[in-house]
Amino acid sequence: MYSSKKLTVISDTAMFQNESGLFAFGPVVRELEYIAPFFEEITWVGFEQIDKEGDLSMKKIESDKIKIVLLKSVGGKGFLAFFKILINYPVMFFVIVKSIRKANIIHTRAPSHPALIAFLVSFFMKKNKIWWNKYAGDWGQLKPSLAYKFQRAILKRMSFSKVTINGFWPDQEKHCFSFENPCLTNEDIQIGKEIADGKVFLPPYTFAFVGRFDDVKGVSTLLNALKTIPSELIDKIHLIGDGPKTAIYKSEAIELGPKAIFHGQLEKLKLHELIAEAHFFLLPSKAEGFPKVVAEAACYGVIPIVSNVGSIEHYINKTNGFVWNINNKAISYEEVLKQAILTNTKELDKMSTEILKIAVLFTFENYLRKINQYILN
């Protein structure tokens, strides 16, 4: 293991501080607290977002090794938003450089504005530092946005660094390592298997969606597909998440009646409780790296009905789920959904058993092993 143990994390993760303590986006908090024993201290740079107070996706930071550094949140579209981003770059630059100097292991989380600044700084601060850059987007995306394309291009050229990405790609650069985003523990796997073993694949079925409520995640697509399914084949539809278009989606779901349940944001325990009830996990997304929620659902033997974006097909195939090719206009998501629910019980049982093997890859224990093998050595 690398001898020095001071880590600086550069991100645009939402965080805030109040009289109760330090809070940040829950999945990232859990990830950093899990690796905290590796380090003497962790300095975590992120975006201050007071409006997230009370948001159930935020989690209190319990580890006293983690200290946060707050940046003014920037982003958005249009000239005014771009201007605000531009004038904040010098301030972000000095804060980020100061934080980088504190540690010899630098972990950036991209794509983001703070990560971009850190990339550029890294070319001048290579000595005695390990640069560990995580790219959360779709590494193989053919037509990414200009910002994503630019940051991905820089990472491909940072051969002195270690870049962790979703999936396994042809001609992958030697300094780029395929990592699964951790979201499960070995205890989760054990509990999940017990629940999966008792799951019976007979209608009426329970469906689940977890994610941001917007068109990119395909919420309208899945709702419209479910409307074509005979009502007697549907028990419940758990819709977990939030977003600016929630009211629109609730209106679109009226035809599904009380079977469509909008839960909003949930804490991890309640989230897993609802996912565990499901037979099928729905995600007809238009863009992904690899969504953790697919692995969380897999932990309970929930069969995914997903699109073929990002690295999803690197893990999901006809043996453990149903994959919708979004580029094939001849076959709709509705047809893939119908194929799934018309598959016989014996085949669905086999798929449920197979998908459990995917969940194991997304444990924190596996993540720690890869960090030791590829990052700290």
Side-chain angles (χ1 to χ4, degrees), residues 204-210 213 219 221-241 249 252-264 274-275 277-283 333 337 341:
Y205 293 117
T206 295
F207 302 87
F209 164 85
V210 182
F213 282 9
V219 181
T221 301
L222 71 88
L223 289 174
N224 289 330
L226 286 165
K227 290 176 191 177
T228 68
I229 304 301
S231 180
E232 62 270 19
L233 297 183
I234 300 174
D235 184 20
K236 298 175 188 174
I237 307 162
H238 293 303
L239 298 151
I240 304 163
Y249 297 135
E252 291 180 0
I254 287 175
E255 190 177 326
L256 295 165
K259 294 185 176 185
I261 309 166
F262 287 80
H263 295 277
L274 292 177
I275 292 176
E277 289 183 7
H279 297 93
F280 297 102
F281 184 80
L282 310 178
L283 189 65
Y333 186 72
L337 175 60
I341 65 173

Side-chain angles (χ1 to χ4, degrees), residues 63-98:
S63 173
D64 57 7
K65 288 187 177 183
I66 302 174
K67 311 299 180 186
I68 67 172
V69 177
L70 299 172
L71 294 172
K72 184 177 179 180
S73 182
V74 297
K77 297 179 180 179
F79 176 77
L80 184 60
F82 176 75
F83 180 72
K84 287 181 178 179
I85 293 169
L86 204 60
I87 62 176
N88 271 285
Y89 255 64
V91 177
M92 288 194 290
F93 174 83
F94 285 111
V95 172
I96 288 169
V97 169
K98 183 179 178 181

Side-chain angles (χ1 to χ4, degrees), residues 322-348:
F322 298 87
V323 181
W324 173 47
N325 184 348
I326 62 173
N327 299 311
N328 183 354
K329 305 303 180 185
I331 301 177
S332 66
Y333 186 72
E334 171 189 325
E335 291 174 86
V336 178
L337 175 60
K338 287 179 177 178
Q339 177 193 349
I341 65 173
L342 291 175
T343 300
N344 67 64
T345 299
K346 187 176 180 180
E347 286 303 310
L348 292 178

Side-chain angles (χ1 to χ4, degrees), residues 12 33 60 64 71 76 96 142 170 175 185 197 205 267 281-282 288 295 301 305 330 373 377:
D12 63 352
E33 288 189 330
K60 186 176 180 180
D64 57 7
L71 294 172
I96 288 169
L142 297 177
H175 66 285
T185 64
D197 287 345
Y205 293 117
E267 294 177 329
F281 184 80
L282 310 178
E288 295 287 351
I305 309 175
Q373 183 176 356
N377 287 327

